[in-house]
Amino acid sequence: MTTEDFNYDLPEELIAQTPLKERSASKLLIMDKNTGELENKQFTDILDYLIPGDVLVLNNTKVIPARLIGEKEDTHATIELLLLKNIENDTWECLSRPFKRLHIGTKIFFGSGLLVAEVQEKKEDGMVIVNFHYKGIFLNILDTLGEMPLPPYIHEKLEEKDRYQTVYAKNIGSAAAPTAGLHFTEELLNKAKEKGIIIAEVTLHVGLGTFRPVEVSDVKKHVMHSEFYQMTKETADILNQAKKEKRRIIAVGTTSTRTLETIIQKYNEFKECEGNTDIFIYPGYEFKAIDALITNFHLPKSTLVMLVSAFSKKEFILNAYKEAIKKKYRFFSFGDAMFIK
């Protein structure tokens, strides 16, 4: 199985650069995972495909303004850090650029010294461990100095920061949004509840593992970067009861999927827990947790295309993407959605 097997041609104009004015105004491609049969709908039509008793699992992580641009203490060279994971207190794992300019002990100044990062360790692939020095409250300083870490394929400026957050975001810690959830409004979620759909939440702080490109030709040799996850007792109880009663568990997004599959693979049930996951799901994987998936359209050759291909069939997924391109769907983070049922 090669990375090239998950490639497809996408016209650049179909990469969504800005969010739609209305969150739920997106298109929705419905796909039967067993037959590959397709239907073209609007996202608000998702309610027609949800059955009372279904459990909709949302990732309630909240994106921090994790992109910092500063300068080296000595040469004043521009340095960019992307905060990925809070290791402890003020120590963070970051993606740095340019990596070669940094050394252990290097100090990077942000906002004329309002925030200072000192490099503690250099790892591989641009990764560094830094310790931050500041006066005040770190998240307040980050709100002042940081930028929303939009993916590199988005070139337009984001006018409203909140549009790169889900309406249910609350647990701070992500370097990217769980984008399948961006389509939901409070109104749509309330309508789902009124219909008898049960809403459950998990947390996975989205980091490099979710969007890092696959740079090896042999899929099985790709190594995922670990990301923090958490499940409450309330969510575990809801999900275990759903399994017992053979009701559908529907993951909103690949991050929710990876959290649920990580936990059930580890414990053979859902339970209150937290930890770090580097689960890599590709064809051949046997799903134990989820029955259906709401997701966006993903980058060619990405781990996310591999995950959705594992949930259905690669041929069905690539055919669905072909249909989406033909029908001018919008792709990637601010793009349209799929419901794989």
Side-chain angles (χ1 to χ4, degrees), residues 8 27 44 62 76 127 129 173-174 207 262 267 278 285 290 313 317 332:
Y8 66 92
K27 293 178 183 176
T44 47
K62 189 170 187 176
H76 304 291
M127 305 295 294
I129 306 293
S174 268
T262 292
Y267 302 107
D278 60 359
Y285 177 86
I290 71 166
K313 282 186 181 176
I317 292 296
F332 307 159

Side-chain angles (χ1 to χ4, degrees), residues 210-221:
T210 297
F211 55 86
R212 186 184 212 169
V214 179
E215 293 173 343
V216 291
S217 59
D218 183 349
V219 166
K220 295 177 183 177
K221 290 183 178 174

